[in-house]
Amino acid sequence: VQLQASGGGLVQAGGSLRLSCVASGNIFTINAMGWYRQAPGEQRELVAAIGIGGNSKYADSVKGRFTISGDNAKNTVLLEMSSLKPEDTAVYYCAADFSFGRLTSGSPDYWGQGTQVTVSS
């Protein structure tokens, strides 16, 4: 499975960005996709995840501001980010797994390349 992420960039605080991740390859092994992020000097953390049945999970820090959605037909997961804060600055990584639990535990089978999100104050 290959994951191709896109959509990062530079935005002012309060602004919005949308991240997209497309899965290819043996996609039948995937039942959940999501996003992690890692800021300099920090551990990688789960931002949001969505399962094939529509179940989702968000980090407390992004609830009410970020929305994750999936398009099973297009093997795509989107992360709509609004009301961005400087503390959202990080490299964002797309991830996928057969198991929603394993995806959200920090050890998904598949990782995409990171995309930088920078929020200026």
Side-chain angles (χ1 to χ4, degrees):
V1 173
Q2 294 79 44
L3 303 175
Q4 182 67 46
S6 61
L10 173 64
V11 65
Q12 288 188 332
S16 300
L17 279 176
R18 183 174 69 176
L19 303 183
S20 176
C21 179
V22 180
S24 61
N26 194 9
I27 60 172
F28 299 105
T29 64
I30 296 174
N31 284 325
M33 295 182 70
W35 295 90
Y36 280 76
R37 68 186 180 187
Q38 187 168 22
E42 301 289 333
Q43 289 188 335
R44 191 174 295 190
E45 64 172 353
L46 176 70
V47 177
I50 188 166
I52 196 169
N55 51 312
S56 62
K57 182 176 182 178
Y58 293 89
D60 288 343
S61 60
V62 306
K63 285 180 181 177
R65 300 188 299 120
F66 291 10
T67 302
I68 191 168
S69 61
D71 186 334
N72 293 336
K74 296 182 179 180
N75 309 317
T76 298
V77 64
L78 301 176
L79 185 67
E80 302 278 359
M81 304 184 294
S82 62
S83 302
L84 283 161
K85 305 175 181 180
E87 50 263 45
D88 293 317
T89 295
V91 178
Y92 284 68
Y93 297 90
C94 180
D97 201 285
F98 179 82
S99 161
F100 185 83
R102 191 161 60 209
L103 171 66
T104 57
S105 71
S107 301
D109 279 347
Y110 308 109
W111 291 98
Q113 89 287 2
T115 184
Q116 178 71 46
V117 171
T118 302
V119 184
S120 62
S121 57

